[in-house]
Amino acid sequence: MKDYEKKYQLLREEKLEDIHSTGYLLQHVKSKAHVLVIANDDENKVFNISFRTRPSDSTGVAHILEHSVLCGSKNFPLKDPFVELVKGSLNTFLNAMTYPDKTCYPVASCNDQDFQNLVHVYLDAVFSPMIYECPEIFRQEGWSYKLEKPEDELTYNGVVYNEMKGAFSSSDEVLERKIMDSLFPDTTYGWESGGDPEHIPELTYEQFLDFHRTYYHPSNSFIYFYGNMDFEEKLRFLDEEYLSKYEELKVDSEIPLQKEFSEVKSLTEKYPIAENEEERENTYLSFNRVVGTALDAKLCTAFEILDYALLSAPGAPLKKALLDANIGKDIYGSYEDGIYQPYFSVIAKSSDPEKMEDFQRIIRETLEQIVRDGIDPKALEAGINFYEFRYLEADYASFPKGLIYGLDILETWLYEPGQPFDAVQRRAVYESLKGETQTGYFEGLIQKYLLDNTHGSSLMLVPKKGLTQEKDHQTAEKLAAYKAQLTQDEIEDLVRKTRELKEYQEASELPEALKCIPMLSRTDIGREAGHFFNEECYVEDTLLLWHDIQTNGIGYLDLQFDLAGISQELLPYVSLLKNVLGYVDTQNYTYGELFNEINAGSGGINCGIKVYENSDAPLGYLPMFGVRAKALYSQIPFVFQMIQEILFGSNLEDTKRLYEIIAQGKSRGEASLVSNGHGTAVLRATSYDSPMAWFQEQIAGISYVHFLENLEKNFDQRKEQTVENLKQLLRCIFRPENLKVSFTAQADQKMVVTEQVYNLKKKLYTEPVEKPGFCAACAKKNEGFKTAGQVQYVAQTGNFKKAGLEYTGALSILKVALSYEYLWMNVRVKGGAYGCMSGFKRNGEGYFVSYRDPNLKNTLEIYQGIPAYIRGFQCDERNMTKYIIGTISAKDAPKTPQMKGAVSRTAYYTGTTQEMVQREREQILDATVEDIQALAPIVEAILSQNQICVVGSEEAIEREKDVFQEVKHLIS
């Protein structure tokens, strides 16, 4: 760092022991850009450039700009360099995000040259975008009038416009938006940074450009490098190519504090529901309080712990008091940080407006009692251990940990540029809080911030039928009135602009422009596939699949029980059972005490259902009930002890508690069907013909949520049978002959685990039981599911193996080509959908699906054009290499120890051998244009089965109902 003192001022250097790094806080001398370097030996390098962005309305300008700057720049004059990077980069992360007060552009890669390429393209995008020369970018990504012929109906279109129509179709997202608005009416947090569809069309092109001129300047930037790299080279490049070209600019972007309220606000807002949904028991009640600022690390961490101890943990006193009073069927909440002024919320879902007074009274009385009597120290200990374990494990699944560290750092750095390191030095905070569990510290926080604090709101979100149609009608009337007052020349101008936008979107990139995007070569990619870590061991006749991996002292346990013998009528109860075990009283603990005991001594225990495709299995797949846990090696015996407490000591006869779990599951299941509409539609359509998908649909899809809806509605009549069914499942599932064990850890733990498995086996059920099994009732239905939303999720699926065709690694390349070429161009760019996806599995299943799509039938017609696109597929060696690199990128992403164990276990149960993955990798690396063209029959086989499912708006489904065999409501 010393060599670059002339260009950068070193403000602070600090050893970051928690993450084994050294941090350097710098400021660029000329431009005053804020720069942070975290140096360590992590090969997964991360770069992020963020800007403090402060919207002053809900037109979504920050969000639209985030999309738009990635649509070409001075040095990379392509329409979509972002897509070209995705297709041809070994990135481990590549995206951009809009927050209420910042916009972030992070990338990550393990390859040095690839990382440099990503950094270069992203810096050019934010500082020199093509938005000034090309207004079509704004019209495509933000909003535009669409009028193809003078006599047509005038409509709006745009990627962000349709994305946010989808977001505003989610009642949970509407509630979150309204809460922020209620707490921060005078600051940027009172506006919708993503954009409100009602206000997005108010944004002008010039306002859009002004926002970039104002905020996208180095003086307002926060630049972050993380990992193992030549930092002096990176800082030199940053200075010479970009920062040195700018003088300091005073940017008014600081986030002001909201003035505290003199009294708590009470508000009522509305959200849409479908015509068939009940208005009774469909209201949200919320209690919200602002808690300090993000700069107080101890306070923020303490409130995370309080959220756990008061509300989020099963049996937490605030949750329990509200459930016991029947205030709502689902009680949850959160401590929302990531903004300058965090806030704490308590939410009752599936409630009624007349319960608001009791809701607030019970919260106050419960909190007053807790302050008076003290919080259970065990709950605080469990909460501290829960968050500290996650912090030390630093397992963020597919997200690079350097990325998460960087985003966490922004939570203080953005508001106090001299205070960036608190988020990655939290061990001392946890140690401090451990000493506060019995000092009254936490009780004092409750008194100050939740009881005495007037900076808050009591917000009701009430349902209204027809609200979506009402807004759509208002929009249509507004557009019709606008069109009616236009002259013929002005109408022709709209038609011309619509045509020009389409021509811009369809125009091919110039070959010389494509070559400006830096890329790797095939020789930069290793030919050897990653290895599995599977060692077959046995405890008597029980498989112990050992994954010998360095796990930093944490063991990952998976107990899996074969479900093939379960009867047809009990199938949905299997999924209910996974939500019950660990969440009801046991022989020695109440369910709240159980949860705290587990989290105080481990990284957690949970149940789930995993289905492995395997054509050699009796059903053609392996359905397994899993009990999973993670713990420090020293706590492995404790974990087995607690698993036995759950499996053999659970009280399944507490029907009051069972009803609470069922009602909560119904509420969250219904919300998930809508928010995950693309997954919902794909699974349902695949289940028409696939026994494996049919099983998954019964235990996790629309069928399961409808089962919960029916069970909740008729619980009084069915509760005794429900208890008996759950007991019967215990006897049928948790048997020694059903058990297979998987453990990820170092080999020196094998004797400990073997002994624990041996002891567990002796406790499993052995009395004879019937194992009738089940038979998939597959039937093509081609359903359209109506929701209160404004967008569609359009899925078409099929199985190419039924046509005698085989899986090949080249299908992975086709997925990239479709997702970022044909489908991207036709469904997203031209169609206005927010997303489009495809997939092909080794068992022959394939799918095509859109996400937050304004269209329905048009998207299905686009799918029909895929075979012709494949047959006509052409690209030169450079572009073919790009597709191959983009395909390998997903396969070579770094994996955490837990992920390596999980991938190895999946390979074992699915029968995937090292030879298979090596062959498929070679098929990818050696693929030619002809290999891609040869895949057309595979897609034709999928489409020929005509399996369609759409989750979408009531109006669109009804308008296009000739597409379906059955039309029904998603929520029954």
Side-chain angles (χ1 to χ4, degrees):
M1 299 297 173
K2 299 286 186 183
D3 296 343
Y4 242 67
E5 286 182 347
K6 292 181 180 179
K7 301 294 184 180
Y8 297 88
Q9 180 184 4
L10 179 62
L11 304 176
R12 188 169 166 187
E13 178 179 341
E14 196 161 327
K15 287 290 183 183
L16 308 176
E17 301 291 348
D18 287 11
I19 60 172
H20 312 292
S21 307
T22 302
Y24 302 90
L25 178 63
L26 306 105
Q27 186 165 48
H28 188 252
V29 174
K30 183 179 181 185
S31 70
K32 302 304 180 186
H34 308 283
V35 181
L36 186 66
V37 169
I38 294 185
N40 53 44
D41 61 0
D42 193 341
E43 291 302 318
N44 201 356
K45 294 168 275 290
V46 177
F47 165 79
N48 184 15
I49 180 165
S50 300
F51 300 92
R52 198 162 51 196
T53 47
R54 201 175 67 187
S56 57
D57 56 38
S58 291
T59 60
V61 58
H63 188 190
I64 295 169
L65 194 56
E66 174 236 300
H67 280 240
S68 299
V69 300
L70 297 176
C71 292
S73 63
K74 177 183 176 182
N75 289 313
F76 306 102
L78 297 170
K79 289 188 295 183
D80 214 332
F82 171 80
V83 170
E84 294 303 314
L85 283 173
V86 171
K87 288 191 291 189
S89 162
L90 289 173
N91 72 85
T92 56
F93 188 86
L94 180 71
N95 213 331
M97 297 91 84
T98 303
Y99 294 90
D101 56 14
K102 58 184 173 284
T103 310
C104 305
Y105 298 88
V107 295
S109 179
C110 294
N111 181 284
D112 288 337
Q113 186 57 54
D114 186 51
F115 180 71
Q116 177 60 30
N117 296 345
L118 295 170
V119 171
H120 192 186
V121 173
Y122 262 47
L123 282 169
D124 210 63
V126 297
F127 288 129
S128 304
M130 289 172 57
I131 57 175
Y132 294 92
E133 299 83 27
C134 189
E136 288 84 2
I137 295 172
F138 168 71
R139 298 179 61 225
Q140 171 183 287
E141 297 299 319
W143 77 276
S144 65
Y145 291 114
K146 183 177 180 181
L147 189 68
E148 295 187 348
K149 293 179 289 189
E151 65 271 20
D152 286 352
E153 180 183 356
L154 184 63
T155 60
Y156 293 129
N157 201 15
V159 173
V160 169
Y161 177 74
N162 290 316
E163 176 189 351
M164 296 311 295
K165 283 176 74 175
F168 274 64
S169 297
S170 164
S171 55
D172 292 317
E173 291 194 48
V174 172
L175 177 67
E176 181 182 351
R177 173 67 261 148
K178 297 298 184 182
I179 289 173
M180 291 263 291
D181 189 23
S182 72
L183 295 174
F184 308 106
D186 306 317
T187 76
T188 188
Y189 302 131
W191 302 110
E192 174 50 68
S193 59
D196 183 333
E198 288 188 39
H199 297 289
I200 288 173
E202 297 168 6
L203 179 66
T204 68
Y205 178 53
E206 192 57 37
Q207 288 170 334
F208 163 77
L209 296 179
D210 279 343
F211 197 85
H212 183 268
R213 294 185 188 104
T214 301
Y215 294 109
Y216 280 58
H217 188 280
S219 299
N220 190 46
S221 68
F222 295 79
I223 300 170
Y224 169 83
F225 289 100
Y226 165 96
N228 184 2
M229 69 187 81
D230 183 341
F231 287 108
E232 288 197 11
E233 183 271 328
K234 291 291 178 286
L235 292 173
R236 183 180 301 109
F237 171 83
L238 183 63
D239 167 69
E240 293 176 355
E241 294 295 326
Y242 293 99
L243 300 186
S244 64
K245 299 174 183 178
Y246 293 85
E247 300 292 338
E248 179 184 3
L249 180 70
K250 297 297 183 183
V251 181
D252 182 15
S253 68
E254 290 189 8
I255 310 300
L257 290 172
Q258 170 65 50
K259 184 180 178 182
E260 293 185 9
F261 301 163
S262 58
E263 60 181 10
V264 174
K265 292 188 174 184
S266 295
L267 304 95
T268 300
E269 301 283 355
K270 296 184 177 69
Y271 78 96
I273 59 172
E275 285 299 325
N276 70 311
E277 292 182 68
E278 295 289 341
E279 292 182 342
R280 291 289 300 171
E281 296 187 338
N282 225 344
T283 290
Y284 290 80
L285 311 177
S286 69
F287 167 101
N288 315 288
R289 296 293 185 272
V290 174
V291 178
T293 75
L295 300 178
D296 190 334
K298 184 174 180 179
L299 175 65
C300 292
T301 307
F303 255 91
E304 283 186 338
I305 310 307
L306 278 174
D307 171 38
Y308 173 97
L310 295 176
L311 188 62
S312 295
L318 204 48
K319 178 193 288 277
K320 191 172 187 303
L322 292 166
L323 284 173
D324 287 347
N326 195 30
I327 296 298
K329 294 182 179 179
D330 189 8
I331 305 297
Y332 63 98
S334 61
Y335 173 66
E336 293 292 342
D337 53 8
I339 59 176
Y340 192 14
Q341 292 177 273
Y343 62 92
F344 181 84
S345 289
V346 184
I347 296 164
K349 187 177 179 181
S350 302
S351 187
D352 288 303
E354 60 268 21
K355 294 182 178 180
M356 185 56 145
E357 186 176 334
D358 286 341
F359 172 70
Q360 296 182 75
R361 175 183 56 78
I362 290 169
I363 290 174
R364 174 164 290 278
E365 290 176 354
T366 303
L367 293 176
E368 287 173 344
Q369 181 180 349
I370 291 170
V371 170
R372 202 166 48 243
D373 300 341
I375 306 173
D376 178 8
K378 191 72 171 185
L380 293 174
E381 178 190 348
I384 294 169
N385 185 70
F386 175 79
Y387 283 105
E388 185 178 24
F389 191 100
R390 287 173 54 184
Y391 172 67
L392 296 177
E393 185 184 26
D395 185 344
Y396 304 106
S398 61
F399 295 101
K401 62 184 177 183
L403 167 72
I404 304 302
Y405 292 153
L407 293 176
D408 287 348
I409 281 170
L410 279 171
E411 294 180 11
T412 56
W413 192 26
L414 195 77
Y415 315 117
E416 176 44 70
Q419 187 177 329
F421 296 126
D422 287 354
V424 289
Q425 295 191 110
R426 295 174 65 179
R427 292 194 75 169
V429 175
Y430 288 118
E431 288 302 317
S432 173
L433 290 174
K434 288 174 187 177
E436 302 278 21
T437 58
Q438 298 186 60
T439 65
Y441 170 76
F442 287 96
E443 291 81 357
L445 296 182
I446 295 172
Q447 186 69 49
K448 179 178 179 179
Y449 290 105
L450 301 184
L451 288 172
D452 297 341
N453 185 7
T454 56
H455 191 176
S457 68
S458 297
L459 174 69
M460 274 198 303
L461 192 65
V462 300
K464 182 179 180 181
K465 292 183 180 182
L467 185 58
T468 297
Q469 292 84 345
E470 182 182 312
K471 289 185 176 181
D472 287 345
H473 183 66
Q474 289 172 353
T475 299
E477 282 190 333
K478 178 181 176 181
L479 286 166
Y482 173 71
K483 184 184 177 187
Q485 55 90 35
L486 296 176
T487 66
Q488 191 60 38
D489 286 346
E490 289 170 330
I491 289 175
E492 290 294 343
D493 187 55
L494 288 180
V495 172
R496 178 183 58 80
K497 287 182 177 178
T498 301
R499 183 180 64 252
E500 288 175 349
L501 177 58
K502 187 176 181 181
E503 290 170 352
Y504 163 79
Q505 293 167 336
E506 292 179 343
S508 299
E509 299 282 13
L510 296 174
E512 56 269 27
L514 284 168
K515 290 178 182 177
C516 74
I517 295 289
M519 59 176 282
L520 306 177
S521 68
R522 296 198 198 193
T523 56
D524 290 312
I525 307 171
R527 291 193 66 85
E528 188 175 357
H531 289 274
F532 301 131
F533 302 85
N534 289 323
E535 179 187 351
E536 285 188 6
C537 308
Y538 286 89
V539 181
E540 297 176 318
D541 58 348
T542 297
L543 172 68
L544 171 53
L545 192 63
W546 194 271
H547 316 291
D548 186 358
I549 298 169
Q550 167 59 254
T551 61
N552 298 317
I554 298 173
Y556 299 96
L557 170 69
D558 283 83
L559 304 177
Q560 298 199 302
F561 296 85
D562 196 332
L563 291 171
I566 301 302
S567 67
Q568 195 107 357
E569 60 270 19
L570 289 182
L571 270 188
Y573 289 93
V574 175
S575 198
L576 176 59
L577 182 67
K578 78 174 171 59
N579 293 326
V580 167
L581 293 179
Y583 296 91
V584 294
D585 295 349
T586 64
Q587 186 174 342
N588 296 302
Y589 303 92
T590 67
Y591 67 89
E593 292 169 344
L594 176 73
F595 199 77
N596 288 333
E597 187 73 16
I598 289 169
N599 283 304
S602 74
I605 298 172
N606 63 81
C607 297
I609 300 171
K610 182 73 175 176
V611 186
Y612 300 97
E613 59 181 78
N614 190 323
S615 58
D616 294 329
L619 295 170
Y621 58 94
L622 287 172
M624 311 278 270
F625 190 103
V627 183
R628 301 181 179 91
K630 54 185 176 182
L632 298 174
Y633 290 164
S634 60
Q635 293 294 334
I636 290 170
F638 167 78
V639 161
F640 273 91
Q641 174 191 337
M642 298 312 295
I643 288 174
Q644 291 180 40
E645 179 77 21
I646 291 169
L647 297 187
F648 311 118
S650 289
N651 175 16
L652 302 180
E653 296 184 348
D654 182 352
T655 55
K656 176 180 177 296
R657 179 61 185 149
L658 282 183
Y659 177 79
E660 292 173 354
I661 292 171
I662 291 165
Q664 175 182 289
K666 165 187 169 281
S667 173
R668 297 185 181 183
E670 289 175 343
S672 178
L673 290 183
V674 177
S675 63
N676 184 40
H678 58 307
T680 300
V682 167
L683 180 59
R684 184 71 168 197
T686 308
S687 74
Y688 298 158
D689 190 54
S690 163
M692 176 174 160
W694 176 88
F695 174 85
Q696 293 171 303
E697 221 278 327
Q698 296 297 305
I699 54 97
I702 294 172
S703 293
Y704 179 64
V705 175
H706 287 180
F707 159 79
L708 289 178
E709 288 173 340
N710 186 272
L711 185 58
E712 189 261 350
K713 184 177 181 180
N714 301 290
F715 186 72
D716 285 341
Q717 293 79 38
R718 296 176 58 180
K719 58 186 177 183
E720 287 82 8
Q721 187 60 53
T722 298
V723 170
E724 183 50 43
N725 288 346
L726 294 175
K727 288 182 176 180
Q728 186 177 344
L729 281 174
L730 289 180
R731 298 188 293 269
C732 292
I733 296 173
F734 301 115
R735 307 178 62 80
E737 66 270 24
N738 290 342
L739 175 63
K740 293 178 174 62
V741 182
S742 167
F743 202 88
T744 303
Q746 289 160 258
D748 58 6
Q749 298 300 308
K750 194 175 295 182
M751 289 302 298
V752 175
V753 175
T754 298
E755 180 183 357
Q756 294 299 324
V757 172
Y758 179 79
N759 293 334
L760 173 66
K761 284 187 64 178
K762 291 190 291 187
K763 301 287 183 63
L764 295 174
Y765 298 97
T766 56
E767 65 268 30
V769 294
E770 292 185 10
K771 295 186 177 182
F774 53 87
C775 182
C778 296
K780 187 164 80 171
K781 300 176 182 177
N782 283 13
E783 297 153 297
F785 288 96
K786 298 188 288 187
T787 73
Q790 297 175 284
V791 290
Q792 282 63 251
Y793 305 86
V794 183
Q796 185 162 357
T797 69
N799 191 305
F800 56 84
K801 281 200 170 182
K802 293 183 181 297
L805 301 168
E806 291 300 320
Y807 181 85
T808 168
L811 283 166
S812 297
I813 301 176
L814 179 61
K815 172 182 167 66
V816 174
L818 288 175
S819 297
Y820 293 104
E821 193 70 51
Y822 179 81
L823 291 178
W824 179 275
M825 177 57 63
N826 290 286
V827 175
R828 187 187 190 275
V829 174
K830 291 159 63 176
Y834 181 51
C836 48
M837 289 142 271
S838 62
F840 308 94
K841 296 170 68 174
R842 290 191 182 96
N843 66 1
E845 293 173 8
Y847 70 86
F848 311 100
V849 68
S850 63
Y851 181 80
R852 292 183 177 173
D853 189 347
N855 304 303
L856 196 164
K857 190 178 290 186
N858 183 61
T859 297
L860 291 171
E861 290 172 356
I862 290 169
Y863 297 160
Q864 295 303 311
I866 297 174
Y869 161 76
I870 297 172
R871 284 198 167 88
F873 181 83
Q874 291 292 337
C875 69
D876 57 19
E877 173 59 22
R878 188 178 193 278
N879 282 309
M880 194 67 200
T881 298
K882 189 181 294 183
Y883 284 125
I884 289 168
I885 292 171
T887 301
I888 291 295
S889 172
K891 296 182 178 296
D892 286 359
K895 296 177 178 62
T896 65
Q898 184 176 17
M899 291 167 66
K900 290 177 182 177
V903 168
S904 299
R905 180 181 68 250
T906 298
Y908 182 89
Y909 288 135
T910 58
T912 303
T913 65
Q914 196 71 47
E915 292 72 23
M916 289 170 61
V917 296
Q918 184 62 44
R919 181 174 64 251
E920 289 166 10
R921 187 179 184 88
E922 291 169 0
Q923 288 170 341
I924 294 168
L925 292 174
D926 299 332
T928 64
V929 168
E930 291 73 23
D931 291 326
I932 304 302
Q933 292 172 344
L935 300 175
I938 285 179
V939 173
E940 285 178 328
I942 293 169
L943 295 173
S944 68
Q945 292 169 44
N946 192 36
Q947 295 173 186
I948 294 165
C949 180
V950 177
V951 174
S953 71
E954 292 177 295
E955 183 180 355
I957 296 286
E958 283 294 334
R959 186 173 61 245
E960 316 265 17
K961 63 182 178 183
D962 59 304
V963 169
F964 308 106
Q965 295 177 20
E966 301 180 29
V967 169
K968 56 191 79 172
H969 285 93
L970 183 64
I971 308 302
S972 68

